[in-house]
Amino acid sequence: MIHFKDVTKIYKDNGVLALDKITLDIARGEFVFIVGTSGSGKSTLMKLLMHEEVATSGSIVVDGQDVTNLRPKEIPYLRRRLGVIFQDYRLLQDKTVYENVAFAMQVIEAPRKIMQRSVNTVLDIVGLREKSDSFPAQLSGGEQQRVAIARAIVNDPRILIADEPTGNLDPDTGWDIMDIFQRINAAGTTIVMATHDKTIVDQMQRRVIAIEGGRITRDEARGAYSEDQPQTFDRFYFR
Ligand code: ADP
């Protein structure tokens, strides 16, 4: 579903080597954590995926489309197949919950009837249908992030990309978000999530890709946040 081959990113303005020949394959339906210290290159990887930044060299294929050097008019087609979630929610403050989610569908000119049904469906998935008419400022952080998730999935993306989605939330609220992600993933959406949240990564037991200094230092199918972690009960028990 996602293929990086020898992808290097050097930021032109300061010459920083943010990613150094990254090669990586993520299959359809996987749930992958990208971990690493601040400045290790996680966000750069996410930005290359959604074509917010362009690779200096190497090739990137997303959902069968070579996105390494997209022409500007091709970018919207890529973005439609991706749902994106950020740490700071990025909702439109002057629009209601319903309008924030509907806006993502208006952009692709969905018919009104389909739009209403889809928006209500995703608001049900994140448990916020009764807050349809609220404005973001009237919601808690966790609720705002749930609106952002509804907006990200309303166009039924193949891949959900989340950059520190629980970074501003307390642990319980973070788990609410992860429960929603698990359901979305179980329904077939590939999820790539960059995070610092050790507890979440350790408990979820999903694939973990660790990046340091722009290089992949670890890639484990059922990993933990850090290497020296007893990863499963078995491993712990038999040590
Ligand atoms: P992380 O998400 O792991 O914190 P980033 O991908 O944001 O790491 O950053 C990787 C490196 O690239 C850092 O050294 C950072 O300073 C640099 N960097 C990130 N974005 C930019 C940018 N827009 N321009 C120049 N340098 C950048």
Side-chain angles (χ1 to χ4, degrees):
M1 182 60 101
I2 298 170
H3 306 281
F4 277 52
K5 177 95 178 75
D6 289 333
V7 174
T8 291
K9 173 64 183 178
I10 301 170
Y11 285 104
K12 278 201 191 108
D13 48 344
N14 56 6
V16 166
L17 174 64
L19 292 179
D20 187 6
K21 286 201 160 185
I22 295 267
T23 294
L24 140 82
D25 292 293
I26 295 175
R28 183 184 302 265
E30 276 199 89
F31 192 139
V32 182
F33 290 114
I34 310 286
V35 303
T37 50
S38 189
S40 57
K42 302 183 298 295
S43 295
T44 301
L45 186 90
M46 310 297 252
K47 285 178 185 162
L48 290 177
L49 259 181
M50 54 187 130
H51 209 75
E52 212 174 279
E53 291 284 352
V54 180
T56 309
S57 61
S59 77
I60 303 173
V61 175
V62 176
D63 191 20
Q65 182 184 16
D66 188 331
V67 302
T68 321
N69 293 300
L70 282 186
R71 283 173 290 163
K73 70 170 188 184
E74 293 170 320
I75 294 173
Y77 293 99
L78 169 68
R79 298 262 166 88
R80 256 173 237 182
R81 284 178 287 139
L82 304 176
V84 185
I85 296 162
F86 302 94
Q87 178 170 357
D88 55 1
Y89 327 130
R90 303 199 189 174
L91 301 176
L92 300 166
Q93 295 298 318
D94 60 343
K95 291 192 187 292
T96 64
V97 165
Y98 183 94
E99 289 164 350
N100 263 281
V101 179
F103 190 69
M105 291 197 85
Q106 282 157 4
V107 172
I108 66 160
E109 295 172 359
R112 197 182 155 79
K113 271 254 148 40
I114 291 178
M115 186 171 87
Q116 276 175 352
R117 198 167 51 212
S118 302
V119 173
N120 285 329
T121 300
V122 293
L123 286 176
D124 280 337
I125 290 173
V126 301
L128 280 180
R129 174 95 89 106
E130 75 281 11
K131 302 257 176 166
S132 290
D133 297 326
S134 301
F135 286 90
Q138 299 170 316
L139 303 177
S140 69
E143 287 170 336
Q144 291 187 58
Q145 192 61 299
R146 278 149 59 193
V147 178
I149 295 171
R151 179 183 58 186
I153 62 172
V154 74
N155 290 326
D156 202 13
R158 300 291 188 92
I159 304 169
L160 191 61
I161 298 172
D163 197 353
E164 297 279 359
T166 61
N168 288 347
L169 306 174
D170 64 73
D172 279 351
T173 312
W175 278 111
D176 292 343
I177 300 300
M178 295 316 297
D179 283 344
I180 297 171
F181 277 17
Q182 299 238 56
R183 279 190 275 136
I184 294 168
N185 178 244
T189 307
T190 307
I191 299 187
V192 183
M193 168 171 160
T195 185
H196 273 112
D197 199 322
K198 186 173 181 309
T199 314
I200 283 178
V201 175
D202 289 350
Q203 292 199 25
M204 293 277 289
Q205 298 264 311
R206 297 298 190 126
R207 181 172 172 192
V208 175
I209 298 174
I211 306 186
E212 276 317 320
R215 292 184 173 199
I216 294 177
T217 54
R218 191 159 52 94
D219 186 346
E220 288 174 336
R222 281 158 62 83
Y225 190 87
S226 40
E227 215 159 5
D228 50 356
Q229 195 79 22
Q231 281 161 25
T232 64
F233 178 73
D234 281 348
R235 209 173 122 184
F236 184 67
Y237 191 76
F238 290 112
R239 268 193 331 169

